[in-house]
Amino acid sequence: AQSVSQHNHHVILSEAASLELGCNYSYGGTVNLFWYVQYPGQHLQLLLKYFSGDPLVKGIKGFEAEFIKSKFSFNLRKPSVQWSDTAEYFCAVNAGYGGSQGNLIFGKGTKLSVKP
Amino acid sequence: GAGVSQSPRYKVAKRGQDVALRCDPISGHVSLFWYQQALGQGPEFLTYFQNEAQLDKSGLPSDRFFAERPEGSVSTLKIQRTQQEDSAVYLCASSLMTRPEYEQYFGPGTRLTVT
């Protein structure tokens, strides 16, 4: 069965620090990879996604993620975080066109707190 | 335009009661998903509809859980004889097409507390 692991439960950074959130998945076939973000009091929204092509994908608000197939990883990065990036971040995977045609498998999430 | 809406936003049920949670997807969206998010966990898939057809219900935790989407738009998730372990946030998501590359738009969720 597919699974997603997020290494950090809670990350605390100061503004302008660099961010990297780890995500590993277990599935040997073709995968689609996503990062979702949930700001305080708001609903889940898509940050970025990878389906194919350039393994370095750029999303909204200056976030990017790199797909490394050999490591089954899809880490999220941002060079300089802002207080407004305080949120919970979820990595998710969907196994192509097999199975349920689109349901996502999420990691447990990483809570990011940015100190002003 | 309007996003995905869910009602009620909060529901407190006594153990053994039945509850019904409603999801209004974005107009025209073919696919509709239900997820369950327990405290401190990521969302977990429950079931999926393509129009009115329930194509996958493999994630429903027990036969007390039932979902429907009779006219291919609004969906209802029903939980019979609620138990304490059913306490969670129930999320609904919709997407335009039944292909994984189409973004899933999430609603605000219904927080269910079973006492």
Side-chain angles (χ1 to χ4, degrees):
Chain A
Q2 300 168 60
S3 65
V4 177
S5 297
Q6 293 185 242
H7 313 302
N8 309 101
H9 179 63
H10 191 185
V11 172
I12 302 172
L13 296 173
S14 296
E15 276 194 315
S18 64
L19 169 72
E20 181 160 2
L21 302 182
C23 173
N24 286 88
Y25 64 93
S26 64
Y27 184 71
T30 302
V31 290
N32 306 309
L33 297 157
F34 307 80
W35 276 97
Y36 277 81
V37 61
Q38 187 166 25
Y39 298 102
Q42 297 187 26
H43 51 84
L44 274 169
Q45 54 187 288
L46 183 65
L47 200 54
L48 48 78
K49 61 186 178 183
Y50 171 80
F51 288 114
S52 62
D54 189 344
L56 184 63
V57 293
K58 296 190 183 298
I60 60 172
K61 304 186 180 183
F63 286 90
E64 64 179 30
E66 185 175 13
F67 170 54
I68 303 179
K69 188 175 181 179
S70 61
K71 295 184 178 181
F72 298 90
S73 71
F74 189 56
N75 292 355
L76 181 71
R77 300 195 293 247
K78 186 171 184 178
S80 175
V81 295
Q82 301 173 318
W83 177 79
S84 58
D85 293 325
T86 294
E88 190 155 19
Y89 293 80
F90 293 91
C91 182
V93 65
N94 163 267
Y97 293 101
S100 299
Q101 297 290 321
N103 66 290
L104 298 170
I105 297 167
F106 286 87
K108 291 186 176 183
T110 297
K111 185 176 180 181
L112 172 64
S113 298
V114 180
K115 298 183 293 184
Chain B
V4 178
S5 61
Q6 293 186 245
S7 61
R9 292 292 311 279
Y10 303 90
K11 177 70 178 177
V12 178
K14 290 187 177 178
R15 184 177 172 184
Q17 283 185 330
D18 298 348
V19 298
L21 312 180
R22 177 188 169 107
C23 172
D24 281 85
I26 294 172
S27 178
H29 277 197
V30 168
S31 301
L32 186 147
F33 303 83
W34 283 98
Y35 295 86
Q36 179 191 58
Q37 186 174 15
L39 190 64
Q41 304 294 317
E44 291 191 3
F45 170 74
L46 293 177
T47 187
Y48 152 69
F49 291 85
Q50 179 181 331
N51 295 308
E52 68 278 5
Q54 189 175 19
L55 297 188
D56 188 344
K57 52 183 180 180
S58 62
L60 296 176
S62 77
D63 58 7
R64 296 185 294 104
F65 287 71
F66 171 76
E68 60 183 4
R69 193 186 186 199
E71 297 178 356
S73 56
V74 170
S75 178
T76 303
L77 177 67
K78 297 179 180 177
I79 308 173
Q80 297 177 325
R81 305 181 303 280
T82 52
Q83 303 293 315
Q84 281 194 318
E85 60 262 30
D86 300 335
S87 295
V89 175
Y90 290 85
L91 297 170
C92 175
S94 71
S95 65
L96 183 62
M97 298 289 285
T98 308
R99 292 167 66 91
E101 61 263 38
Y102 285 87
E103 180 178 346
Q104 292 187 26
Y105 294 85
F106 283 81
T110 294
R111 182 177 297 277
L112 173 65
T113 303
V114 181
T115 61

